[in-house]
Amino acid sequence: MPPQTVAIIGAGVYGLTAALALQARGYAVSIFDPGPLPHPGAASTDISKVLRLDYGPDEAYSAWMEQAFEGWRAWNAAWPEPLFHTTGVLYPSRTPLQAGDYEWESYQVLLRRGHRPERLDGAAIAARFPAWAAAGFVDGYFNPLGGYAESGRVMRQLLGQAEAAGVRVVTGQAVARLHERGSRAAGVVLADGQVFVADHVVAAAGAWTPYLLPWLAGALRSTGMPVFHLRPARPALFQAERFPVFGADITVTGYYGFPLSREGVVKIAHHGPGRPLHPDDPARGVTADEVAHLRGFLRAYLPELAEAPLIFTRQCFYSDTGDGHLWIAPDPARPGLVVAAGDSGHAFKFAPVLGAVIADALEGRPHPLHPLFRWRPEVRGGGPQEASRQRA
């Protein structure tokens, strides 16, 4: 009997990890993506993504990330070179930590789970991490378990593994719509009209999902977040041991960033409400106002970068849900369709454990996180957000 077939729409982190998991379970998997790969507009690309345990009071994510870290370490051991870098993560605060703050709640969850974050006052932050303005922060902590992954390189590695495992990758044009038989999803239709029939469809189109599946337009929203690459005049200040991954009072400022990359740049980005933006909009570039806002943050807190040349900018497109949780669930009105989207800016870090959750949803197997990621079109914008971006 031939294997069941799966058509996956999108070769981002959801699509590739789902493809690897499903191919390993015996399905014949095809991925459809307009390319090039990694797709330059996908949230999963660029040079780096934060890997963190720190989720405010959301302990379910911290526990899931502990499993993901095991996977990242296994990937590092198996790959030609390590792409996950343990720099630790610094969370400085401009005010003393108190109950209810993202930093305080994260710190308490870490302690409760047996980790050893280091509490730091303003003097310790300035002495240990000299790029930061001495008067900028008065409290915070450093979590040595965390860092970043070289996201674009990770995606190329996963793409190679998928192809080596027998996954068919079809690029060159976008998926126009689902191919349906009655109410059942039965494959995909490409922009040129070609039809690819499949037993199952996984829609993993990231920020394009609410446009591909318009019945989800109210529940999933495409938002743009500005990303900046800067070239420092004194790169030694920004080596990982002196400048780890950070979230700078992130629920208030929205800014997070990374140490000096192998490309010789410091990446800083904004993790906040963002602005509604179609990922194919001609006006999708970073705006002058967004650059000015970044420069104000740098002058106040990272003066060494205040006049650093901007060598690259982009919008990172989130697929936002109303409550900030991921969306991995079968469509109850369209048998055969699973939607794996709603990254809300924090899915990539779970890459080693993400595919199994999607595969379980397709097979109808229970998973502890499925209730959190359930089908929930009634949850619209304006509700609680992922803890690190509640107020930014």
Side-chain angles (χ1 to χ4, degrees):
M1 184 174 179
Q4 292 191 45
T5 54
V6 182
I8 298 178
I9 307 170
V13 71
Y14 279 103
L16 282 176
T17 58
L20 285 163
L22 288 164
Q23 192 79 13
R25 295 186 187 189
Y27 294 87
V29 180
S30 298
I31 294 183
F32 299 85
D33 192 291
L37 298 178
H39 193 290
S44 51
T45 189
D46 206 349
I47 61 174
S48 53
K49 297 292 176 187
V50 177
L51 304 188
R52 59 178 166 95
L53 282 170
D54 316 78
Y55 265 90
D58 298 331
E59 193 162 348
Y61 284 113
S62 298
W64 196 32
M65 193 61 212
E66 289 167 353
Q67 299 172 33
F69 272 132
E70 294 179 11
W72 282 108
R73 287 188 285 267
W75 280 355
N76 265 0
W79 288 349
E81 60 176 333
L83 298 177
F84 159 44
H85 304 283
T86 305
T87 67
V89 188
L90 174 67
Y91 286 100
S93 174
R94 299 179 299 176
T95 57
L97 302 192
Q98 59 182 338
D101 291 345
Y102 166 74
E103 293 81 8
W104 172 264
E105 299 297 339
S106 297
Y107 183 75
Q108 297 303 319
V109 167
L110 293 171
L111 292 176
R112 198 157 59 239
R113 298 192 64 81
H115 301 294
R116 297 179 178 273
E118 303 171 43
R119 189 76 177 270
L120 302 171
D121 61 17
I125 292 169
R128 186 165 166 184
F129 309 109
W132 292 95
F137 299 94
V138 302
D139 203 348
Y141 72 91
F142 175 74
N143 181 3
L145 184 55
Y148 71 97
E150 297 182 67
S151 46
R153 287 183 168 86
V154 168
M155 296 308 294
R156 284 189 285 274
Q157 178 69 33
L158 294 179
L159 176 63
Q161 288 182 202
E163 291 176 321
V167 173
R168 181 175 63 155
V169 179
V170 181
T171 62
Q173 57 180 311
V175 169
R177 58 184 173 84
L178 295 178
H179 173 57
E180 297 180 88
R181 289 178 181 156
S183 64
R184 184 174 182 84
V188 298
V189 181
L190 300 187
D192 68 356
Q194 290 185 79
V195 176
F196 291 83
V197 175
D199 298 307
H200 307 272
V201 178
V202 176
W208 287 266
T209 303
Y211 306 102
L212 176 70
L213 310 178
W215 56 93
L216 289 176
L220 299 176
R221 303 175 311 283
S222 172
T223 53
M225 311 283 168
V227 176
F228 311 91
H229 295 188
L230 302 109
R231 193 173 300 283
R234 294 201 290 169
L237 275 177
F238 298 95
Q239 298 290 342
E241 61 272 12
R242 307 177 80 190
F243 191 77
V245 169
F246 71 85
D249 206 353
I250 191 168
T251 60
V252 179
T253 72
Y255 284 106
Y256 67 98
F258 303 82
L260 195 73
S261 70
R262 69 168 82 197
E263 295 85 1
V265 302
V266 173
K267 173 182 166 181
I268 296 178
H270 201 265
H271 183 60
R275 57 185 172 107
L277 193 62
H278 192 295
D280 293 326
D281 191 320
R284 63 185 179 271
V286 169
T287 67
D289 285 346
E290 288 167 335
V291 173
H293 194 271
L294 169 75
R295 293 294 186 189
F297 168 79
L298 296 176
R299 283 192 294 272
Y301 303 111
L302 288 169
E304 275 284 334
L305 293 176
E307 304 303 325
L310 262 179
I311 64 167
F312 177 75
T313 63
R314 69 184 289 260
Q315 291 287 350
C316 182
F317 288 101
Y318 290 8
S319 174
D320 268 330
T321 59
D323 55 14
H325 296 308
L326 313 187
W327 186 299
I328 303 173
D331 185 333
R334 294 165 182 82
L337 174 64
V338 169
V339 176
D343 64 273
S344 300
H346 66 119
F348 180 89
K349 62 182 66 66
F350 299 110
V353 291
L354 188 59
V357 180
I358 301 169
D360 284 349
L362 183 144
E363 294 185 330
R365 298 187 188 189
H367 189 283
L369 289 168
H370 282 165
L372 198 62
F373 303 158
R374 71 191 184 281
W375 192 268
R376 53 195 192 282
E378 74 283 359
V379 178
R380 302 297 175 109
Q385 291 288 325
E386 190 267 310
S388 67
R389 59 188 289 226
Q390 284 182 341
R391 299 191 301 277

